[in-house]
Amino acid sequence: MKIFCSRANPTTGSVEWLEEDEHYDFHQEIARSSYADMLHDKDRNVKYYQGIRAAVSRVKDRGQKALVLDIGTGTGLLSMMAVTAGADFCYAIEVFKPMADAAVKIVEKNGFSDKIKVINKHSTEVTVGPEGDMPCRANILVTELFDTELIGEGALPSYEHAHRHLVEENCEAVPHRATVYAQLVESRRMWSWNKLFPIRVQTSLGEQVIVPPVDLESCPGAPSVCDIQLNQVSPADFTVLSDVLPMFSIDFSKQVSSSAACHSRQFEPWTSGRAQVVLSWWDIEMDPEGKIKCTMAPFWAHSDPEEMQWRDHWMQCVYFLPQEEPVVQGSALFLVAHHDDYCVWYSLQRTSPEKNERVHQMRPVCDCQAHLLWNRPRFGEINDQDRTDRYVQALRTVLKPDSVCLCVSDGSLLSVLAHHLGVEQVFTVESSAASHKLLRKIFKANHLEDKINIIEKRPELLTNEDLQGRKVSLLLGEPFFTTSLLPWHNLYFWYVRTAVDQHLGPGAVVMPQAASLHAVVVEFRDLWRIRSPCGDCEGFDVHIMDDMIKHALDFRESREAEPHPLWEYPCRSLSEPWQILTFDFQQPVPLQPLCAEGTVELRRPGRSHAAVLWMEYHLTPECTLSTGLLEPADPEGGCCWNPHCKQAVYFFSPAPDPRAPLGGPRTVSYAVEFHPDTGDIAMEFRLADTPDHP
């Protein structure tokens, strides 16, 4: 049996559906999963174990059998904890079949098959009764159904159903309670991830300002949460306006509702400013007394910052208010948390929500198109004035008054820069209706609707009529395309350049003139955990899970590099960065592959976790933009990464043992090949020993 999987095609700039082996999606799901991260989360595991022991003891103290329902069992870890704590029987629910199969093997390996029944179903399909999956209701409910937003993986509907159909009334629950916290801040940096700022362009006629359309200003934005490693945001990047406010709690031992609700907290701002962003996180209490607590609080709100547990499966949330609001120190306001069954959002009110008819239960919806076309990093990239200035600087060196400019990038404002710098005629190609509509709004707001021609079609299909019979003297791209997942997917610009070759006039300039692929070997402070074998977890053998992940990573597609925003994941460079391949945009895409191989020496001691790859775009010989390292590493190897882009991480296999002494391989060999027929890049990096020299 075959299945269809989506995949970005750099030769067409689109997402295509490819036929793959039936196991492909399972392999990729497992290889990219957070299972290893969760198994390495010592704080989570210990707190769950403590809470489960306490819950089993309370049931036993009442003279009852301890019957456990474990929803979302994964590896079966929590069920094995329950049996070890004295539970009489566990029903472990896991909907993902490869994971359920692994749980059966892990349970058997640890000798618990007679006490744990793994049920491969969604919990809402589980039946209770003599002929059902469970003979009776459970009296202990154990779950780990949470994401960074707490409820985004469907925790509320799952709990609601479980209480109605699968567990006894007033059952014990681990965790017992969850509380969501929020803190109001002003942050130009984070606000730039949500709104389009005025963009300044220095021209020979003075400063020109690109202003956002009114409906971009008033749009409430996208409803999806922005989840990040908040500890990596510098405190200098935001001003705290409120205390940490407990917004709402959920008692998991009682009937839970998935209905929409809102919860308000009155507060007095610490200082005057502009309320823009809500930072949010949660904690879970494993016992009714709240003595066993697992918190996602960032370092400034953590009770013991020195003992914080790093984790990537649960982070912190950034929410954007619908509009920025001025606040005055000491003047009381109400912060309102709204939620439905899967989503949380916030609003700021001047009066109590009970008295304010403007408080709506509906989640915010983007009505300006920008939040549908641009993700949060893309907003930040467009708002980066220094980046804009670099493009302006480069454009000045290649533009002429009679230039005919063709811009090719999704939802890009380069065409506006070109116009303000004096280009005679500007065309921009927008292949999607959303980008076409958005740019038309921006052009209208800046009185440019009759100055810049928007062509709504794929660039490969351009005709002389589209270009009004003119030959292009400047082909311009950032390049940026919304379908790009890995840095080199934006090489679609090269394929466009090849397709429009017939429309380029003699001596036409292509900008960027070239691109290059770069790499550096790094040691991660924490990110290595997501690919590191666990072996033993709280006394339970989970080697089967390690082997399953390794097998998935050895599968064809799952050995590729994967995208990560490395500004959130500190690392040290162990090698000097090096250039691997160069792509000459002045020439069409070659017919033959581009290949490179070699060996790189590691200059600093450390554990080699991965090779990180990125693209650099050479706008002109004097001006280069990097999507990766922005400056040389510091003496200790500390890296400064482009915060608007994801870099590609190729994890070495096997992962270095964190308990092993420093040393080991001192060189890395690599082989990289660009395939022009697919636009993809195949690669292999290997750790290799370097002989000691006398």
Side-chain angles (χ1 to χ4, degrees), residues 239-261:
T239 301
V240 172
L241 299 178
S242 77
D243 289 316
V244 175
L245 306 171
M247 295 306 300
F248 62 93
S249 294
I250 304 171
D251 185 339
F252 296 124
S253 70
K254 299 177 181 177
Q255 181 62 56
V256 171
S257 173
S258 62
S259 299

PDB file of all heavy atoms in Angstrom, residues 239-261:
ATOM      1  N   THR A 239       9.419  45.275  28.327  1.00  0.00           N
ATOM      2  CA  THR A 239       9.170  45.979  29.589  1.00  0.00           C
ATOM      3  C   THR A 239       7.970  45.342  30.257  1.00  0.00           C
ATOM      4  O   THR A 239       6.885  45.266  29.663  1.00  0.00           O
ATOM      5  CB  THR A 239       8.886  47.476  29.337  1.00  0.00           C
ATOM      6  OG1 THR A 239      10.008  48.065  28.680  1.00  0.00           O
ATOM      7  CG2 THR A 239       8.621  48.200  30.645  1.00  0.00           C
ATOM      8  N   VAL A 240       8.156  44.876  31.471  1.00  0.00           N
ATOM      9  CA  VAL A 240       7.069  44.227  32.203  1.00  0.00           C
ATOM     10  C   VAL A 240       6.067  45.280  32.668  1.00  0.00           C
ATOM     11  O   VAL A 240       6.437  46.293  33.271  1.00  0.00           O
ATOM     12  CB  VAL A 240       7.633  43.444  33.404  1.00  0.00           C
ATOM     13  CG1 VAL A 240       6.501  42.936  34.279  1.00  0.00           C
ATOM     14  CG2 VAL A 240       8.502  42.288  32.927  1.00  0.00           C
ATOM     15  N   LEU A 241       4.785  45.051  32.402  1.00  0.00           N
ATOM     16  CA  LEU A 241       3.729  45.991  32.778  1.00  0.00           C
ATOM     17  C   LEU A 241       2.841  45.477  33.908  1.00  0.00           C
ATOM     18  O   LEU A 241       2.072  46.263  34.478  1.00  0.00           O
ATOM     19  CB  LEU A 241       2.855  46.308  31.561  1.00  0.00           C
ATOM     20  CG  LEU A 241       3.561  46.955  30.358  1.00  0.00           C
ATOM     21  CD1 LEU A 241       2.570  47.165  29.212  1.00  0.00           C
ATOM     22  CD2 LEU A 241       4.208  48.271  30.749  1.00  0.00           C
ATOM     23  N   SER A 242       2.921  44.193  34.214  1.00  0.00           N
ATOM     24  CA  SER A 242       2.031  43.656  35.253  1.00  0.00           C
ATOM     25  C   SER A 242       2.748  42.601  36.070  1.00  0.00           C
ATOM     26  O   SER A 242       3.809  42.100  35.693  1.00  0.00           O
ATOM     27  CB  SER A 242       0.776  43.045  34.621  1.00  0.00           C
ATOM     28  OG  SER A 242       1.064  41.768  34.071  1.00  0.00           O
ATOM     29  N   ASP A 243       2.136  42.260  37.191  1.00  0.00           N
ATOM     30  CA  ASP A 243       2.560  41.078  37.932  1.00  0.00           C
ATOM     31  C   ASP A 243       2.285  39.834  37.081  1.00  0.00           C
ATOM     32  O   ASP A 243       1.585  39.893  36.061  1.00  0.00           O
ATOM     33  CB  ASP A 243       1.766  40.956  39.243  1.00  0.00           C
ATOM     34  CG  ASP A 243       2.157  42.006  40.257  1.00  0.00           C
ATOM     35  OD1 ASP A 243       3.361  42.249  40.426  1.00  0.00           O
ATOM     36  OD2 ASP A 243       1.251  42.590  40.884  1.00  0.00           O
ATOM     37  N   VAL A 244       2.814  38.701  37.524  1.00  0.00           N
ATOM     38  CA  VAL A 244       2.404  37.415  36.959  1.00  0.00           C
ATOM     39  C   VAL A 244       1.013  37.113  37.514  1.00  0.00           C
ATOM     40  O   VAL A 244       0.822  37.040  38.730  1.00  0.00           O
ATOM     41  CB  VAL A 244       3.390  36.302  37.334  1.00  0.00           C
ATOM     42  CG1 VAL A 244       2.871  34.956  36.845  1.00  0.00           C
ATOM     43  CG2 VAL A 244       4.774  36.588  36.746  1.00  0.00           C
ATOM     44  N   LEU A 245       0.041  36.968  36.614  1.00  0.00           N
ATOM     45  CA  LEU A 245      -1.357  36.807  37.016  1.00  0.00           C
ATOM     46  C   LEU A 245      -1.823  35.376  36.784  1.00  0.00           C
ATOM     47  O   LEU A 245      -1.731  34.874  35.662  1.00  0.00           O
ATOM     48  CB  LEU A 245      -2.250  37.763  36.205  1.00  0.00           C
ATOM     49  CG  LEU A 245      -1.864  39.249  36.235  1.00  0.00           C
ATOM     50  CD1 LEU A 245      -2.700  40.028  35.224  1.00  0.00           C
ATOM     51  CD2 LEU A 245      -2.044  39.809  37.639  1.00  0.00           C
ATOM     52  N   PRO A 246      -2.334  34.695  37.832  1.00  0.00           N
ATOM     53  CA  PRO A 246      -2.967  33.385  37.600  1.00  0.00           C
ATOM     54  C   PRO A 246      -4.320  33.604  36.921  1.00  0.00           C
ATOM     55  O   PRO A 246      -5.231  34.171  37.520  1.00  0.00           O
ATOM     56  CB  PRO A 246      -3.118  32.808  39.005  1.00  0.00           C
ATOM     57  CG  PRO A 246      -3.127  34.003  39.917  1.00  0.00           C
ATOM     58  CD  PRO A 246      -2.339  35.085  39.252  1.00  0.00           C
ATOM     59  N   MET A 247      -4.448  33.156  35.662  1.00  0.00           N
ATOM     60  CA  MET A 247      -5.642  33.492  34.879  1.00  0.00           C
ATOM     61  C   MET A 247      -6.778  32.498  35.077  1.00  0.00           C
ATOM     62  O   MET A 247      -7.931  32.885  35.231  1.00  0.00           O
ATOM     63  CB  MET A 247      -5.276  33.576  33.400  1.00  0.00           C
ATOM     64  CG  MET A 247      -4.307  34.698  33.063  1.00  0.00           C
ATOM     65  SD  MET A 247      -4.836  36.338  33.634  1.00  0.00           S
ATOM     66  CE  MET A 247      -6.390  36.535  32.782  1.00  0.00           C
ATOM     67  N   PHE A 248      -6.471  31.207  35.034  1.00  0.00           N
ATOM     68  CA  PHE A 248      -7.522  30.226  35.294  1.00  0.00           C
ATOM     69  C   PHE A 248      -6.893  28.885  35.637  1.00  0.00           C
ATOM     70  O   PHE A 248      -5.735  28.622  35.292  1.00  0.00           O
ATOM     71  CB  PHE A 248      -8.500  30.088  34.118  1.00  0.00           C
ATOM     72  CG  PHE A 248      -7.897  29.599  32.835  1.00  0.00           C
ATOM     73  CD1 PHE A 248      -7.885  28.238  32.512  1.00  0.00           C
ATOM     74  CD2 PHE A 248      -7.360  30.488  31.912  1.00  0.00           C
ATOM     75  CE1 PHE A 248      -7.350  27.783  31.314  1.00  0.00           C
ATOM     76  CE2 PHE A 248      -6.816  30.044  30.703  1.00  0.00           C
ATOM     77  CZ  PHE A 248      -6.815  28.691  30.405  1.00  0.00           C
ATOM     78  N   SER A 249      -7.660  28.064  36.342  1.00  0.00           N
ATOM     79  CA  SER A 249      -7.211  26.725  36.729  1.00  0.00           C
ATOM     80  C   SER A 249      -8.222  25.694  36.264  1.00  0.00           C
ATOM     81  O   SER A 249      -9.416  26.001  36.099  1.00  0.00           O
ATOM     82  CB  SER A 249      -7.035  26.627  38.246  1.00  0.00           C
ATOM     83  OG  SER A 249      -5.980  27.457  38.685  1.00  0.00           O
ATOM     84  N   ILE A 250      -7.755  24.476  36.055  1.00  0.00           N
ATOM     85  CA  ILE A 250      -8.611  23.353  35.671  1.00  0.00           C
ATOM     86  C   ILE A 250      -8.356  22.219  36.647  1.00  0.00           C
ATOM     87  O   ILE A 250      -7.215  21.776  36.808  1.00  0.00           O
ATOM     88  CB  ILE A 250      -8.320  22.883  34.234  1.00  0.00           C
ATOM     89  CG1 ILE A 250      -8.461  24.033  33.245  1.00  0.00           C
ATOM     90  CG2 ILE A 250      -9.255  21.724  33.857  1.00  0.00           C
ATOM     91  CD1 ILE A 250      -7.975  23.703  31.837  1.00  0.00           C
ATOM     92  N   ASP A 251      -9.416  21.751  37.304  1.00  0.00           N
ATOM     93  CA  ASP A 251      -9.330  20.615  38.223  1.00  0.00           C
ATOM     94  C   ASP A 251      -9.643  19.351  37.428  1.00  0.00           C
ATOM     95  O   ASP A 251     -10.771  19.122  37.014  1.00  0.00           O
ATOM     96  CB  ASP A 251     -10.327  20.798  39.373  1.00  0.00           C
ATOM     97  CG  ASP A 251     -10.197  19.718  40.435  1.00  0.00           C
ATOM     98  OD1 ASP A 251      -9.654  18.631  40.137  1.00  0.00           O
ATOM     99  OD2 ASP A 251     -10.651  19.944  41.573  1.00  0.00           O
ATOM    100  N   PHE A 252      -8.627  18.525  37.212  1.00  0.00           N
ATOM    101  CA  PHE A 252      -8.789  17.346  36.369  1.00  0.00           C
ATOM    102  C   PHE A 252      -9.452  16.176  37.091  1.00  0.00           C
ATOM    103  O   PHE A 252      -9.766  15.162  36.461  1.00  0.00           O
ATOM    104  CB  PHE A 252      -7.433  16.896  35.825  1.00  0.00           C
ATOM    105  CG  PHE A 252      -6.783  17.908  34.922  1.00  0.00           C
ATOM    106  CD1 PHE A 252      -5.507  18.379  35.184  1.00  0.00           C
ATOM    107  CD2 PHE A 252      -7.450  18.400  33.805  1.00  0.00           C
ATOM    108  CE1 PHE A 252      -4.903  19.307  34.352  1.00  0.00           C
ATOM    109  CE2 PHE A 252      -6.858  19.335  32.967  1.00  0.00           C
ATOM    110  CZ  PHE A 252      -5.577  19.792  33.243  1.00  0.00           C
ATOM    111  N   SER A 253      -9.662  16.296  38.397  1.00  0.00           N
ATOM    112  CA  SER A 253     -10.309  15.215  39.140  1.00  0.00           C
ATOM    113  C   SER A 253     -11.832  15.314  39.062  1.00  0.00           C
ATOM    114  O   SER A 253     -12.532  14.416  39.527  1.00  0.00           O
ATOM    115  CB  SER A 253      -9.863  15.234  40.605  1.00  0.00           C
ATOM    116  OG  SER A 253     -10.400  16.362  41.285  1.00  0.00           O
ATOM    117  N   LYS A 254     -12.346  16.412  38.515  1.00  0.00           N
ATOM    118  CA  LYS A 254     -13.788  16.628  38.399  1.00  0.00           C
ATOM    119  C   LYS A 254     -14.164  16.767  36.931  1.00  0.00           C
ATOM    120  O   LYS A 254     -13.301  16.829  36.053  1.00  0.00           O
ATOM    121  CB  LYS A 254     -14.186  17.884  39.178  1.00  0.00           C
ATOM    122  CG  LYS A 254     -13.880  17.808  40.670  1.00  0.00           C
ATOM    123  CD  LYS A 254     -14.228  19.104  41.376  1.00  0.00           C
ATOM    124  CE  LYS A 254     -13.904  19.023  42.865  1.00  0.00           C
ATOM    125  NZ  LYS A 254     -14.175  20.298  43.555  1.00  0.00           N
ATOM    126  N   GLN A 255     -15.466  16.831  36.673  1.00  0.00           N
ATOM    127  CA  GLN A 255     -15.932  16.973  35.298  1.00  0.00           C
ATOM    128  C   GLN A 255     -15.330  18.229  34.669  1.00  0.00           C
ATOM    129  O   GLN A 255     -15.366  19.304  35.255  1.00  0.00           O
ATOM    130  CB  GLN A 255     -17.460  17.056  35.251  1.00  0.00           C
ATOM    131  CG  GLN A 255     -18.035  17.177  33.849  1.00  0.00           C
ATOM    132  CD  GLN A 255     -17.714  15.966  32.980  1.00  0.00           C
ATOM    133  OE1 GLN A 255     -18.025  14.837  33.331  1.00  0.00           O
ATOM    134  NE2 GLN A 255     -17.082  16.206  31.842  1.00  0.00           N
ATOM    135  N   VAL A 256     -14.768  18.062  33.499  1.00  0.00           N
ATOM    136  CA  VAL A 256     -14.130  19.159  32.768  1.00  0.00           C
ATOM    137  C   VAL A 256     -15.029  19.542  31.601  1.00  0.00           C
ATOM    138  O   VAL A 256     -15.636  18.677  30.963  1.00  0.00           O
ATOM    139  CB  VAL A 256     -12.736  18.736  32.266  1.00  0.00           C
ATOM    140  CG1 VAL A 256     -12.152  19.780  31.332  1.00  0.00           C
ATOM    141  CG2 VAL A 256     -11.797  18.482  33.441  1.00  0.00           C
ATOM    142  N   SER A 257     -15.096  20.848  31.312  1.00  0.00           N
ATOM    143  CA  SER A 257     -15.903  21.322  30.193  1.00  0.00           C
ATOM    144  C   SER A 257     -14.995  21.833  29.082  1.00  0.00           C
ATOM    145  O   SER A 257     -14.009  22.522  29.340  1.00  0.00           O
ATOM    146  CB  SER A 257     -16.835  22.448  30.646  1.00  0.00           C
ATOM    147  OG  SER A 257     -17.496  23.023  29.524  1.00  0.00           O
ATOM    148  N   SER A 258     -15.352  21.505  27.853  1.00  0.00           N
ATOM    149  CA  SER A 258     -14.609  22.025  26.696  1.00  0.00           C
ATOM    150  C   SER A 258     -15.311  23.230  26.074  1.00  0.00           C
ATOM    151  O   SER A 258     -14.898  23.716  25.020  1.00  0.00           O
ATOM    152  CB  SER A 258     -14.448  20.934  25.637  1.00  0.00           C
ATOM    153  OG  SER A 258     -15.713  20.507  25.153  1.00  0.00           O
ATOM    154  N   SER A 259     -16.358  23.716  26.747  1.00  0.00           N
ATOM    155  CA  SER A 259     -17.095  24.871  26.228  1.00  0.00           C
ATOM    156  C   SER A 259     -16.245  26.132  26.319  1.00  0.00           C
ATOM    157  O   SER A 259     -15.357  26.253  27.168  1.00  0.00           O
ATOM    158  CB  SER A 259     -18.387  25.077  27.021  1.00  0.00           C
ATOM    159  OG  SER A 259     -19.233  23.954  26.909  1.00  0.00           O
ATOM    160  N   ALA A 260     -16.538  27.088  25.449  1.00  0.00           N
ATOM    161  CA  ALA A 260     -15.812  28.358  25.461  1.00  0.00           C
ATOM    162  C   ALA A 260     -16.055  29.087  26.778  1.00  0.00           C
ATOM    163  O   ALA A 260     -17.135  29.003  27.375  1.00  0.00           O
ATOM    164  CB  ALA A 260     -16.262  29.224  24.286  1.00  0.00           C
ATOM    165  N   ALA A 261     -15.042  29.795  27.249  1.00  0.00           N
ATOM    166  CA  ALA A 261     -15.145  30.519  28.517  1.00  0.00           C
ATOM    167  C   ALA A 261     -14.148  31.660  28.514  1.00  0.00           C
ATOM    168  O   ALA A 261     -13.232  31.715  27.688  1.00  0.00           O
ATOM    169  CB  ALA A 261     -14.877  29.584  29.695  1.00  0.00           C
TER     170      ALA A 261
END
